[in-house]
Amino acid sequence: MEALRSALQPLQPLTHSLPVPIRDLGVSIIGETCYKTLILDLDPTDSDCLKLAISKGLGIGIIGASSIVKVPQILKLVQSKSASGVSFLSYLLETSSYLITLAYNIRNGFPFSTFGETALILGQNVVITVLVLNYSGRASMAALFVAAFAASLVTLFSPNVLDMQALGYLQAGAGVLGVASKIPQIAAIFQEGGTGQLSAFTVFNYLAGSLSRIFTTLQEVDDKLILYGFIAGFTLNCVLAAQMVYYWNAPSAKAKGKMKEAPLATAAPSSGASTSASPKSKGPTTRRRG
């Protein structure tokens, strides 16, 4: 580390002349003390500031990735117009968990870099849930879901309706919901023998994000409820990722159905052709030739 520090010292004139907006942004992210240590003094030997900077960088990266993490899943649903392999119950539970967690973090005043992806993924989850219901022939339930979501949003963010103690109990339950949300999806993949319209991009990004969130939570948030939820979520995300790899080349249920219908469709004309090709036998006649 000392060698690295010595190698970085010639860059100090550059870091001291950074524009004010960039300096202010750096201070707002890692604080005045760590900004001076890591940016102005270029001293990477301060382990506390280094861990904080890594945690903030991971948090910002997760938030950036989460803005598109479920876009591939939405596109797959829209293009196929099928909800095959995607569990409605799984998304319902996950959406409920994320809504509670978002309210809990905001009302506790935790740093946005430790939970920002929750808001972005929550919005995408609502879209996916509505699509799954719509493509499953349950459009009326989709409207009911949106209404229930709006009512829950108002309730959770209103201190006059729900106090912090009650919200804390709900957060404990949200951790359980977050874990439980993975189980229907795992079961759906196992039952169908394939991942259907489930997006690999979404699954593997979830895996990386949940692992990174364990680190950022340990560094910045002293809350065991949130930490245990991320650990449990990471464990089940590992199972989903393993299923995605195992069933990578497995055909979807729709493709399997077409494969079964194909032999029957080709067999029908051949049987008809053989019937028409066979000559009709003439019946006996009693007419006498004279």
Side-chain angles (χ1 to χ4, degrees), residues 7-23 35-36 38-42:
L8 291 174
Q9 294 312 301
L11 297 176
Q12 276 195 357
L14 178 63
T15 60
H16 279 264
S17 60
L18 289 174
V20 174
I22 294 179
R23 180 191 177 281
Y35 181 85
K36 180 180 183 301
L38 297 177
I39 306 300
L40 298 181
D41 298 339
L42 293 175

Side-chain angles (χ1 to χ4, degrees), residues 65-132:
S66 68
S67 63
I68 60 166
V69 68
K70 294 204 173 183
V71 171
Q73 181 66 78
I74 293 172
L75 293 176
K76 286 193 76 173
L77 288 169
V78 172
Q79 290 170 359
S80 66
K81 298 190 183 303
S82 167
S84 171
V86 182
S87 170
F88 161 70
L89 180 58
S90 178
Y91 272 95
L92 177 64
L93 293 175
E94 185 179 69
T95 301
S96 302
S97 172
Y98 271 45
L99 180 58
I100 295 169
T101 300
L102 179 64
Y104 182 78
N105 277 277
I106 289 177
R107 289 179 61 178
N108 271 293
F110 292 143
F112 184 75
S113 61
T114 63
F115 70 89
E117 79 280 1
T118 304
L120 298 173
I121 294 176
L122 178 63
Q124 294 169 75
N125 272 358
V126 172
V127 174
I128 291 172
T129 305
V130 170
L131 288 174
V132 168

Side-chain angles (χ1 to χ4, degrees), residues 51-52 55-56 59 62-63 101-102 104-118 164 171 212-231:
K51 288 178 182 178
L52 176 62
S55 176
K56 292 292 187 181
I62 293 170
I63 293 171
T101 300
L102 179 64
Y104 182 78
N105 277 277
I106 289 177
R107 289 179 61 178
N108 271 293
F110 292 143
F112 184 75
S113 61
T114 63
F115 70 89
E117 79 280 1
T118 304
M164 283 304 301
Q171 177 59 34
S212 300
R213 271 296 169 231
I214 294 174
F215 177 78
T216 61
T217 303
L218 285 170
Q219 293 301 314
E220 299 184 61
V221 179
D222 185 19
D223 194 306
K224 300 301 181 186
L225 288 176
I226 295 177
L227 176 63
Y228 294 153
F230 281 129
I231 292 173

Side-chain angles (χ1 to χ4, degrees), residues 169-180:
Y169 293 143
L170 286 177
Q171 177 59 34
V176 177
L177 284 177
V179 173

Side-chain angles (χ1 to χ4, degrees), residues 137-190:
R138 294 178 285 178
S140 58
M141 280 191 64
L144 183 62
F145 165 75
V146 172
F149 175 81
S152 301
L153 187 68
V154 172
T155 301
L156 290 169
F157 281 89
S158 300
N160 296 331
V161 178
L162 193 70
D163 60 23
M164 283 304 301
Q165 184 177 4
L167 186 58
Y169 293 143
L170 286 177
Q171 177 59 34
V176 177
L177 284 177
V179 173
S181 69
K182 307 295 181 185
I183 297 175
Q185 184 63 72
I186 292 171
I189 294 173
F190 179 77

